[in-house]
Amino acid sequence: MEKREQLYEGKAKRVFRTSEPDVYWVEYKDDATAFNGEKKGQIAGKGELNNRISSIFFTMLKERGIDNHFIRTLSATEQLVRQVRIIPIEVVVRNIAAGSLAKRLGFAEGTALKQPVVEFYYKNDELGDPLINYSHARVLGIADDADLTVLESIGLKVNEILKTYLAERNVILVDFKLEFGTTSDGNILLADEISPDTCRFWDMETKEKLDKDRFRRDLGGVEEAYQEMLRRLGGEMHV
Ligand code: TMP
Ligand code: ASP
Protein backbone atom coordinates (compact mmCIF):
# COMPACT_ATOMS: atom_id res chain seq x y z
CA MET A 1 0.00 0.00 0.00
CA GLU A 2 1.50 3.33 -1.03
CA LYS A 3 0.62 6.76 0.33
CA ARG A 4 -0.41 9.17 -2.43
CA GLU A 5 -1.46 12.82 -2.52
CA GLN A 6 -3.16 14.64 0.35
CA LEU A 7 -6.88 15.01 -0.22
CA TYR A 8 -7.87 17.02 2.79
CA GLU A 9 -6.49 18.63 5.94
CA GLY A 10 -8.89 19.10 8.83
CA LYS A 11 -8.41 20.54 12.29
CA ALA A 12 -7.17 17.26 13.77
CA LYS A 13 -6.33 14.96 10.83
CA ARG A 14 -4.92 14.78 7.32
CA VAL A 15 -6.35 12.39 4.75
CA PHE A 16 -4.34 10.97 1.85
CA ARG A 17 -5.23 8.88 -1.14
CA THR A 18 -3.48 5.49 -1.47
CA SER A 19 -2.58 3.14 -4.31
CA GLU A 20 -5.86 1.32 -3.52
CA PRO A 21 -8.91 3.17 -4.89
CA ASP A 22 -11.11 2.30 -1.92
CA VAL A 23 -8.64 3.03 0.87
CA TYR A 24 -7.61 6.30 2.56
CA TRP A 25 -4.54 6.94 4.73
CA VAL A 26 -5.30 9.07 7.82
CA GLU A 27 -2.74 10.91 9.89
CA TYR A 28 -3.76 12.21 13.32
CA LYS A 29 -2.24 15.58 14.34
CA ASP A 30 -1.37 17.12 17.71
CA ASP A 31 -3.33 20.29 16.76
CA ALA A 32 -6.34 21.06 18.90
CA THR A 33 -9.10 23.60 18.30
CA ALA A 34 -12.29 24.50 20.11
CA PHE A 35 -15.27 26.80 19.61
CA ASN A 36 -15.25 26.36 15.84
CA GLY A 37 -11.54 27.01 15.54
CA GLU A 38 -11.53 30.21 17.65
CA LYS A 39 -9.29 28.63 20.25
CA LYS A 40 -6.17 26.95 18.88
CA GLY A 41 -3.41 24.96 20.49
CA GLN A 42 -1.42 21.78 20.51
CA ILE A 43 -1.76 18.81 22.78
CA ALA A 44 1.58 16.97 22.95
CA GLY A 45 1.18 13.38 21.78
CA LYS A 46 -2.51 13.79 20.91
CA GLY A 47 -2.03 12.48 17.36
CA GLU A 48 -0.70 9.21 18.70
CA LEU A 49 -3.16 9.00 21.60
CA ASN A 50 -6.24 9.60 19.43
CA ASN A 51 -5.01 7.30 16.67
CA ARG A 52 -4.62 4.50 19.23
CA ILE A 53 -7.83 5.26 21.15
CA SER A 54 -9.92 5.52 17.99
CA SER A 55 -8.45 2.25 16.67
CA ILE A 56 -9.37 0.49 19.92
CA PHE A 57 -12.96 1.79 19.82
CA PHE A 58 -13.50 1.00 16.14
CA THR A 59 -12.05 -2.52 16.50
CA MET A 60 -14.22 -3.17 19.56
CA LEU A 61 -17.35 -1.83 17.80
CA LYS A 62 -16.70 -4.00 14.76
CA GLU A 63 -16.41 -7.08 16.99
CA ARG A 64 -19.79 -6.15 18.43
CA GLY A 65 -21.50 -5.82 15.04
CA ILE A 66 -21.08 -2.09 14.27
CA ASP A 67 -19.37 -1.92 10.91
CA ASN A 68 -17.11 1.11 10.42
CA HIS A 69 -14.40 2.55 8.19
CA PHE A 70 -11.39 1.42 10.25
CA ILE A 71 -9.09 -1.06 8.47
CA ARG A 72 -5.85 -1.16 10.46
CA THR A 73 -3.26 0.86 12.35
CA LEU A 74 -0.17 1.79 10.31
CA SER A 75 2.02 3.62 12.80
CA ALA A 76 1.81 5.62 16.02
CA THR A 77 -0.17 8.39 14.31
CA GLU A 78 -1.51 6.77 11.14
CA GLN A 79 -4.29 4.37 10.19
CA LEU A 80 -5.91 3.01 7.03
CA VAL A 81 -9.64 3.49 6.57
CA ARG A 82 -12.22 2.70 3.92
CA GLN A 83 -12.96 5.51 1.56
CA VAL A 84 -16.31 7.16 2.20
CA ARG A 85 -17.94 10.45 1.27
CA ILE A 86 -18.62 12.12 4.63
CA ILE A 87 -22.25 13.09 5.24
CA PRO A 88 -22.10 16.68 6.57
CA ILE A 89 -23.95 15.86 9.78
CA GLU A 90 -22.55 15.43 13.29
CA VAL A 91 -24.62 12.98 15.29
CA VAL A 92 -24.38 13.71 19.01
CA VAL A 93 -25.68 11.23 21.60
CA ARG A 94 -25.98 12.28 25.25
CA ASN A 95 -26.55 10.42 28.51
CA ILE A 96 -25.77 13.22 30.94
CA ALA A 97 -26.38 16.95 30.51
CA ALA A 98 -23.19 18.85 29.70
CA GLY A 99 -21.85 21.44 27.28
CA SER A 100 -24.28 22.95 24.81
CA LEU A 101 -27.29 20.90 25.95
CA ALA A 102 -26.87 21.99 29.57
CA LYS A 103 -26.71 25.59 28.37
CA ARG A 104 -29.56 25.42 25.81
CA LEU A 105 -32.08 23.56 27.94
CA GLY A 106 -31.06 24.83 31.36
CA PHE A 107 -29.95 21.54 32.94
CA ALA A 108 -27.18 21.67 35.54
CA GLU A 109 -24.08 19.99 34.12
CA GLY A 110 -24.00 16.41 35.42
CA THR A 111 -27.79 15.88 35.47
CA ALA A 112 -28.59 12.35 34.27
CA LEU A 113 -31.00 12.46 31.32
CA LYS A 114 -33.93 10.05 31.68
CA GLN A 115 -33.26 8.70 28.20
CA PRO A 116 -30.45 9.17 25.69
CA VAL A 117 -30.80 12.32 23.59
CA VAL A 118 -29.82 12.26 19.91
CA GLU A 119 -29.06 15.50 18.07
CA PHE A 120 -28.02 16.34 14.53
CA TYR A 121 -25.71 19.25 13.68
CA TYR A 122 -25.03 20.53 10.18
CA LYS A 123 -21.26 20.36 9.62
CA ASN A 124 -20.58 23.83 8.27
CA ASP A 125 -17.79 25.97 9.74
CA GLU A 126 -19.16 29.25 8.36
CA LEU A 127 -22.47 28.65 10.12
CA GLY A 128 -20.82 27.31 13.29
CA ASP A 129 -22.32 23.79 12.95
CA PRO A 130 -25.97 24.63 13.76
CA LEU A 131 -28.38 22.17 15.39
CA ILE A 132 -30.80 20.81 12.76
CA ASN A 133 -33.85 18.55 12.59
CA TYR A 134 -35.24 16.14 9.98
CA SER A 135 -36.91 18.81 7.85
CA HIS A 136 -33.81 21.03 7.94
CA ALA A 137 -31.74 18.10 6.64
CA ARG A 138 -34.35 17.52 3.93
CA VAL A 139 -34.39 21.13 2.69
CA LEU A 140 -30.60 21.34 2.86
CA GLY A 141 -30.55 18.19 0.71
CA ILE A 142 -27.93 16.51 2.93
CA ALA A 143 -29.92 13.49 4.17
CA ASP A 144 -33.43 12.09 3.87
CA ASP A 145 -35.58 10.75 6.71
CA ALA A 146 -34.47 7.17 6.11
CA ASP A 147 -30.77 8.19 6.35
CA LEU A 148 -31.37 10.09 9.60
CA THR A 149 -33.23 7.12 11.07
CA VAL A 150 -30.19 4.95 10.29
CA LEU A 151 -27.80 7.50 11.85
CA GLU A 152 -29.98 7.73 14.96
CA SER A 153 -30.30 4.00 15.35
CA ILE A 154 -26.54 3.34 14.89
CA GLY A 155 -25.84 6.24 17.28
CA LEU A 156 -28.02 4.67 19.97
CA LYS A 157 -26.47 1.21 19.48
CA VAL A 158 -22.96 2.65 19.69
CA ASN A 159 -24.05 4.45 22.86
CA GLU A 160 -25.17 1.22 24.54
CA ILE A 161 -21.98 -0.63 23.57
CA LEU A 162 -19.60 2.21 24.49
CA LYS A 163 -21.40 3.00 27.75
CA THR A 164 -21.07 -0.59 28.97
CA TYR A 165 -17.50 -1.00 27.73
CA LEU A 166 -16.42 2.23 29.44
CA ALA A 167 -18.30 1.53 32.68
CA GLU A 168 -16.19 -1.65 32.96
CA ARG A 169 -13.18 0.66 32.82
CA ASN A 170 -14.49 3.05 35.44
CA VAL A 171 -15.46 5.74 32.93
CA ILE A 172 -18.83 7.45 32.49
CA LEU A 173 -19.79 8.14 28.88
CA VAL A 174 -21.40 11.58 29.18
CA ASP A 175 -21.86 12.27 25.47
CA PHE A 176 -20.13 11.83 22.12
CA LYS A 177 -20.20 12.80 18.45
CA LEU A 178 -20.20 10.46 15.46
CA GLU A 179 -19.76 11.06 11.76
CA PHE A 180 -20.85 8.82 8.94
CA GLY A 181 -20.02 8.47 5.27
CA THR A 182 -21.41 6.89 2.16
CA THR A 183 -19.40 4.08 0.54
CA SER A 184 -18.95 3.72 -3.22
CA ASP A 185 -21.73 1.10 -3.18
CA GLY A 186 -24.12 3.53 -1.48
CA ASN A 187 -24.14 2.22 2.08
CA ILE A 188 -23.93 4.37 5.20
CA LEU A 189 -20.81 3.57 7.25
CA LEU A 190 -19.62 4.87 10.63
CA ALA A 191 -16.45 6.92 10.00
CA ASP A 192 -14.20 9.70 11.35
CA GLU A 193 -12.87 9.14 14.90
CA ILE A 194 -13.97 8.28 18.42
CA SER A 195 -11.57 9.83 20.91
CA PRO A 196 -11.33 12.24 23.84
CA ASP A 197 -11.59 15.01 21.20
CA THR A 198 -15.09 13.84 20.26
CA CYS A 199 -16.50 12.40 23.51
CA ARG A 200 -16.97 13.47 27.11
CA PHE A 201 -15.51 10.94 29.53
CA TRP A 202 -15.74 11.34 33.30
CA ASP A 203 -14.05 9.21 35.93
CA MET A 204 -16.76 7.08 37.55
CA GLU A 205 -15.82 7.95 41.15
CA THR A 206 -14.30 11.43 41.09
CA LYS A 207 -16.18 12.71 37.98
CA GLU A 208 -12.83 14.10 36.83
CA LYS A 209 -12.90 15.05 33.15
CA LEU A 210 -10.79 12.81 30.91
CA ASP A 211 -11.43 14.53 27.58
CA LYS A 212 -11.05 17.68 25.50
CA ASP A 213 -13.07 19.79 27.96
CA ARG A 214 -9.75 20.07 29.84
CA PHE A 215 -8.43 21.99 26.80
CA ARG A 216 -11.69 23.87 26.02
CA ARG A 217 -12.00 25.08 29.63
CA ASP A 218 -8.29 25.53 30.44
CA LEU A 219 -8.39 22.96 33.22
CA GLY A 220 -4.78 21.76 32.74
CA GLY A 221 -3.62 18.15 32.65
CA VAL A 222 -4.84 17.70 29.07
CA GLU A 223 -2.19 15.21 27.87
CA GLU A 224 -2.42 13.30 31.13
CA ALA A 225 -6.18 12.89 30.70
CA TYR A 226 -5.83 11.49 27.17
CA GLN A 227 -3.03 9.17 28.39
CA GLU A 228 -5.22 7.98 31.24
CA MET A 229 -8.01 7.15 28.77
CA LEU A 230 -5.62 5.12 26.61
CA ARG A 231 -4.37 3.32 29.73
CA ARG A 232 -7.90 2.43 30.82
CA LEU A 233 -8.61 1.05 27.36
CA GLY A 234 -5.58 -1.21 27.71
CA GLY A 235 -3.58 0.58 25.04
CA GLU A 236 0.06 1.52 25.05
CA MET A 237 2.10 4.40 23.69
CA HIS A 238 5.16 4.00 21.48
CA VAL A 239 4.65 0.37 20.52
P1 TMP B 1 -21.50 20.03 22.90
O1 TMP B 1 -22.06 19.82 24.28
O2 TMP B 1 -20.47 21.11 22.84
O3 TMP B 1 -22.59 20.20 21.88
O4 TMP B 1 -20.73 18.69 22.50
C1 TMP B 1 -21.37 17.43 22.50
C2 TMP B 1 -20.36 16.34 22.19
O5 TMP B 1 -19.89 16.44 20.87
C3 TMP B 1 -19.11 16.36 23.08
O6 TMP B 1 -18.79 15.01 23.41
C4 TMP B 1 -18.04 16.94 22.21
C5 TMP B 1 -18.47 16.57 20.83
N1 TMP B 1 -18.15 17.60 19.84
C6 TMP B 1 -17.31 17.32 18.78
O7 TMP B 1 -16.81 16.21 18.66
N2 TMP B 1 -17.06 18.31 17.87
C7 TMP B 1 -17.61 19.55 17.96
O8 TMP B 1 -17.34 20.39 17.09
C8 TMP B 1 -18.47 19.82 19.07
C9 TMP B 1 -19.10 21.18 19.22
C10 TMP B 1 -18.73 18.83 19.98
N1 ASP C 1 -13.72 20.65 17.02
C1 ASP C 1 -14.44 21.86 17.15
C2 ASP C 1 -13.62 23.04 16.70
O1 ASP C 1 -12.69 23.32 16.48
C3 ASP C 1 -15.01 22.18 18.47
C4 ASP C 1 -14.82 21.35 19.70
O2 ASP C 1 -14.42 20.22 19.68
O3 ASP C 1 -15.11 21.92 20.76
O4 ASP C 1 -13.76 24.01 16.61
Side-chain angles (χ1 to χ4, degrees):
M1 181 84 51
E2 277 170 48
K3 188 177 180 182
R4 296 270 164 89
E5 79 273 16
Q6 182 174 306
L7 288 172
Y8 169 81
E9 175 157 11
K11 292 173 191 142
K13 299 187 285 299
R14 294 188 191 90
V15 180
F16 300 84
R17 211 188 284 286
T18 67
S19 43
E20 293 269 323
D22 216 34
V23 178
Y24 283 167
W25 185 300
V26 178
E27 191 183 307
Y28 281 68
K29 307 191 291 181
D30 288 353
D31 298 343
T33 64
F35 315 117
N36 201 21
E38 258 173 61
K39 180 181 171 109
K40 288 193 175 70
Q42 290 244 320
I43 300 174
K46 178 168 84 75
E48 176 170 0
L49 288 156
N50 280 0
N51 183 45
R52 297 206 182 285
I53 291 170
S54 212
S55 302
I56 291 169
F57 281 135
F58 280 136
T59 303
M60 182 278 286
L61 286 168
K62 193 158 213 166
E63 284 166 8
R64 287 162 175 71
I66 307 286
D67 199 14
N68 60 72
H69 76 157
F70 178 74
I71 299 173
R72 67 184 165 88
T73 305
L74 285 168
S75 74
T77 56
E78 297 164 298
Q79 60 180 254
L80 288 181
V81 302
R82 262 186 80 183
Q83 176 193 338
V84 294
R85 190 182 325 167
I86 290 288
I87 300 169
I89 292 179
E90 299 194 340
V91 179
V92 169
V93 184
R94 305 176 185 267
N95 299 303
I96 292 176
S100 70
L101 175 126
K103 205 166 162 185
R104 187 179 326 107
L105 302 185
F107 284 100
E109 189 157 271
T111 309
L113 301 168
K114 64 181 179 196
Q115 61 164 80
V117 168
V118 180
E119 297 169 341
F120 302 113
Y121 292 87
Y122 177 30
K123 249 172 87 76
N124 182 313
D125 284 341
E126 268 123 75
L127 300 176
D129 298 347
L131 181 70
I132 57 167
N133 63 22
Y134 276 66
S135 43
H136 292 139
R138 244 182 275 137
V139 296
L140 285 165
I142 52 176
D144 61 24
D145 290 12
D147 296 334
L148 293 183
T149 306
V150 170
L151 302 192
E152 178 158 2
S153 124
I154 300 175
L156 288 170
K157 276 189 203 145
V158 169
N159 185 43
E160 289 311 312
I161 296 168
L162 275 188
K163 207 165 50 175
T164 308
Y165 183 83
L166 287 163
E168 289 162 1
R169 287 154 182 83
N170 234 17
V171 174
I172 300 173
L173 179 61
V174 174
D175 56 31
F176 60 96
K177 183 263 300 180
L178 298 177
E179 293 187 28
F180 295 82
T182 314
T183 59
S184 51
D185 47 13
N187 291 315
I188 290 177
L189 193 65
L190 176 61
D192 195 52
E193 69 177 282
I194 303 178
S195 73
D197 271 16
T198 64
C199 304
R200 286 195 173 93
F201 300 128
W202 292 356
D203 178 83
M204 189 83 76
E205 269 83 52
T206 64
K207 309 289 189 289
E208 188 194 357
K209 294 177 181 18
L210 298 171
D211 58 61
K212 195 174 161 190
D213 270 350
R214 303 205 72 84
F215 169 78
R216 296 188 188 100
R217 302 178 187 190
D218 296 319
L219 300 175
V222 187
E223 289 103 61
E224 292 79 3
Y226 282 60
Q227 282 162 5
E228 177 61 17
M229 277 307 303
L230 179 63
R231 199 188 62 74
R232 292 199 194 186
L233 299 175
E236 279 177 62
M237 286 279 276
H238 311 296
V239 285

